[in-house]
Amino acid sequence: MPPSGELRFNDLFEAAEHSAVHLEMRDVYGVGDEADDFRHWQETGWRDADPDSAYWAPWVDLISRATSHGVEVRRARVVSEPVTDYIRYEHAGTSVNVNAGEDVRWLARRRAVDLMLPGCDLWIFDGSSVLFNHFTGEGNWADPPLDLRTEPAVVKQCVDAFEAVWSRATPHELYEIH
């Protein structure tokens, strides 16, 4: 999450009572310290997959707290194939997400052509609010980076889009990088 939106995101996430779902649709991101970690992976082929590392521990703690309170956390990634190096990097670290309690699935973009998807990544909390994530073309946080929406029609469209992707997507442990 962006520095200016971190507290707001964490507050929304921690207030979730039943579900927090994330729809990712970009093939490249370039945000924060993740960009440094990605560059390191490109140079060395090594990806930090230690849930206790400084990089992962805050996220693992957030997910673990939520799931221990009964919040279902799901992440769906719509990706172009063949995948970008960035998606290879994400795939290499997804075991940490899964071990923290997230259920992660992957959907090839070509299998989503008949789905009506939102124009940007998003989080849906308890099926009642949507937090849109705004990025620049290079994958950095835009200004403003976040947009919280609670209008029932907007939320329903996003919930329907997420569930459509989810129903077609392949579980992480079965998804093979192409």
Side-chain angles (χ1 to χ4, degrees):
M1 284 290 95
S4 64
E6 186 172 337
L7 181 61
R8 184 174 169 194
F9 172 79
N10 284 357
D11 288 347
L12 289 166
F13 198 95
E14 291 182 6
E17 296 178 3
H18 309 288
S19 64
V21 302
H22 189 30
L23 181 59
E24 293 179 278
M25 298 180 290
R26 295 183 56 89
D27 288 319
V28 176
Y29 296 86
V31 294
D33 58 350
E34 185 176 76
D36 294 335
D37 193 54
F38 175 55
R39 278 191 293 280
H40 181 74
W41 176 82
Q42 286 179 303
E43 294 167 3
T44 67
W46 182 82
R47 174 77 202 264
D48 179 2
D50 176 3
D52 296 322
S53 70
Y55 177 82
W56 281 107
W59 185 254
V60 168
D61 184 52
L62 183 67
I63 298 301
S64 298
R65 281 195 320 270
T67 57
S68 72
H69 291 100
V71 175
E72 178 184 41
V73 181
R74 297 184 291 159
R75 178 187 303 256
R77 291 177 169 147
V78 178
V79 297
S80 299
E81 292 179 334
V83 299
T84 63
D85 281 348
Y86 185 87
I87 295 301
R88 289 181 190 284
Y89 158 81
E90 273 195 334
H91 191 270
T94 299
S95 61
V96 179
N97 299 85
V98 171
N99 290 332
E102 288 187 56
D103 192 357
V104 180
R105 293 187 183 181
W106 303 81
L107 181 64
R109 195 171 309 282
R110 72 179 180 281
R111 294 191 57 224
V113 295
D114 60 334
L115 301 179
M116 297 300 108
L117 300 177
C120 54
D121 292 6
L122 56 84
W123 281 90
I124 305 168
F125 300 102
D126 291 331
S128 62
S129 62
V130 178
L131 185 66
F132 290 102
N133 300 164
H134 299 292
F135 298 97
T136 66
E138 291 81 30
N140 297 306
W141 289 107
D143 185 23
L146 305 172
D147 180 21
L148 182 64
R149 303 288 294 269
T150 58
E151 302 94 325
V154 171
V155 173
K156 181 180 182 333
Q157 287 176 329
C158 293
V159 167
D160 291 349
F162 179 86
E163 294 302 335
V165 167
W166 189 258
S167 71
R168 291 185 187 184
T170 303
H172 173 68
E173 62 275 7
L174 300 176
Y175 183 72
E176 296 181 24
I177 291 288
H178 297 296

